[in-house]
Amino acid sequence: MRIFTAPAETPIGILQLSCREEGVCRIAFTGGPAIPSDFPATGSPGDAPGLAEHRWIREARNQLAEYFQRKRRKFMLPLSLEGTAFQESVWNAILKVPYGTTLSYRELAARIGRPEAVRAVGAAVGSNPIPIIVPCHRILGSNGRLTGFAGGLKVKERLLELEGSRIPFG
C-alpha cells in the first residue's frame, strides 16, 4: 500500500503529513521551526517546491491552515486509521469531542463503554496517528491537567487556547 508524505508549515512547527489512497493516515511533529507569528489571521502554508502531492495531502494542508486561522472547527477529510479494534473505538470517540471542549481520560473511557479501562484508553490516545485532526489534545487528565502529547505539552496548550478551551489547572 503506497503512502504519500509531504511537510506542512504551521504556527506550531512543521508537520509531516501522510496519506494513502483511502485518506490521511498520519501526522507527525518534526520538531522543525514554527512560523514566527502565533496563529496568523491570514496566509496559508507554502507548498514544497516541485512536489507532486496527493490530493489528501493538499486538502489536509488547506484544512489545517483554516484551522489555525480559526476558520475551521471540524475537519472533513477521509481518514485511514489502522489500529486494534479498541484503539479505533477510542480514536472514533475522540473525533466526537467538539471543538473548544475537553474530556478526561475517565470520561472518554465511559463514552466507549469501558469505564474500567482508563489506562488502556490513555495508551490508545497516546498512539493516535493523526493528532490535531483526531483531536487528542482535547483529552486531559482527570484532575483537568495537561498530560502527554506527541507535540509536547506547550503545543497541546496552544491548540486548546486556539480553540478557546478552558484549562482548569493548566
Side-chain angles (χ1 to χ4, degrees):
M1 187 177 301
R2 190 157 179 214
I3 295 179
F4 304 86
T5 301
E9 286 187 59
T10 74
I12 58 170
I14 297 170
L15 301 175
Q16 196 71 21
L17 308 178
S18 299
C19 74
R20 297 182 183 97
E21 285 300 330
E22 301 80 25
V24 177
C25 63
R26 183 166 183 74
I27 293 179
F29 295 91
T30 68
I35 294 171
S37 62
D38 287 349
F39 306 114
T42 61
S44 62
D47 289 338
L51 191 60
E53 290 182 334
H54 192 279
R55 68 184 183 272
W56 300 135
I57 297 281
R58 283 191 307 274
E59 188 58 30
R61 182 183 286 123
N62 290 339
Q63 290 190 29
L64 283 163
E66 292 170 354
Y67 170 80
F68 284 112
Q69 294 166 12
R70 294 186 172 101
K71 295 177 180 176
R72 175 172 294 277
R73 293 175 169 240
K74 185 174 173 83
F75 292 94
M76 304 300 289
L77 291 162
L79 303 180
S80 179
L81 288 165
E82 287 188 4
T84 67
F86 180 80
Q87 287 172 322
E88 289 183 20
S89 72
V90 171
W91 301 334
N92 285 317
I94 292 170
L95 284 166
K96 295 176 184 166
V97 179
Y99 181 97
T101 64
T102 59
L103 278 183
S104 71
Y105 291 95
R106 185 170 308 286
E107 292 168 318
L108 186 58
R111 283 194 180 187
I112 66 165
R114 301 283 303 274
E116 75 292 346
V118 177
R119 287 181 189 263
V121 164
V125 171
S127 65
N128 171 20
I130 313 176
I132 304 171
I133 292 173
V134 176
C136 57
H137 59 277
R138 298 176 188 160
I139 311 302
L140 306 177
S142 60
N143 60 2
R145 298 228 167 149
L146 297 181
T147 56
F149 183 66
L153 294 183
K154 190 71 175 161
V155 169
K156 183 172 186 167
E157 183 176 20
R158 287 185 71 194
L159 293 171
L160 292 170
E161 287 172 357
L162 170 74
E163 294 183 7
S165 294
R166 291 196 48 208
I167 307 168
F169 302 104

